[in-house]
Amino acid sequence: MIDQVKGKMIGDKIDNFNAKDHLGNTFSLSKENKKLVIVFIRGQWCPYCNKYIETLQNLSPELKSKNAKLVIISPEKPEFIEKTISKTKTDYTVLYDEGYKIAEAFDVLYTPDSETLNFYNSKLKEDFSNSRSDNSGRLPVSATFILNENKEITWRHFDTDYKKRASIEDIVKNLN
C-alpha cells in the first residue's frame, strides 16, 4: 500500500547500483563523481510523468553550472523507455529499473490497490501490463532525490500524489 512507503530520508546513504539505459549502456552509481538529481517516473503511459520530464529540460544549464547530473529512473523496459524519450524529447539518462531494485533501494516502491490496477490494465492494456519486469503492478512513487558526491541524500521531494512533483526552483535551490 502506498501509505506504507516513506522514501529514504535526508542523510541516508544510497548503496551502489547498476542499471542499463535504453541504449544498453551501464550506469553505475559508484562511478558518478557529481551531485545527482534522481527522479522516479511511473512510465511513458503517465501524462504527468511526460510533462514533468519536459519541464526538467529547463534544468540543463543549472545542472552544468552546479556539476550535477539528472538521472530518470523508470520501471519500464528499454523499448518503452524509447517511447518516454520520443514523447518528451529528453536528453537526460533514463534507466530501466529492472526488478525494481533502485525503487526498493530508495524505498519508493508500492503496489497500487486492485481497483487502481484494474483501471490501469483496462485503460492502458499492454502499455501497462507488458512494460515492466514483472506482472506485480508495482510502481514507484514519483519522488525526486538529490545525492551529494558521497551518495548521501541531501534533499528530497516525496509525495504519494503522482500529480505533485518537485519544482525546478526547489531542485536548483537545493543543489547548492
Side-chain angles (χ1 to χ4, degrees), residues 1-2 5 10 27 31 47 60 95 104 117 120-121 154 163:
M1 294 300 292
I2 198 163
V5 179
I10 291 170
F27 171 95
K31 292 197 172 98
S60 276
L95 300 178
E104 282 175 346
L117 279 177
Y120 287 157
N121 280 314
T154 58
K163 295 175 185 170

Side-chain angles (χ1 to χ4, degrees), residues 54-90:
E54 287 173 356
T55 306
L56 290 172
Q57 295 299 68
N58 301 331
L59 257 179
S60 276
E62 293 288 350
L63 291 169
K64 280 191 184 70
S65 73
K66 307 232 190 288
N67 191 33
K69 177 176 181 175
L70 188 137
V71 179
I72 298 165
I73 313 289
S74 171
E76 295 193 306
K77 296 172 189 161
E79 61 270 27
F80 290 88
I81 289 175
E82 290 277 1
K83 292 183 184 181
T84 296
I85 291 167
S86 69
K87 285 178 182 179
T88 63
K89 311 284 184 268
T90 187

Side-chain angles (χ1 to χ4, degrees), residues 8 25 30-31 42 44 47 60 71 89 93 138 164:
K8 287 287 187 187
N25 301 317
S30 63
K31 292 197 172 98
R42 299 168 352 129
Q44 48 79 31
S60 276
V71 179
K89 311 284 184 268
T93 301
R138 294 181 293 173
K164 297 185 178 151

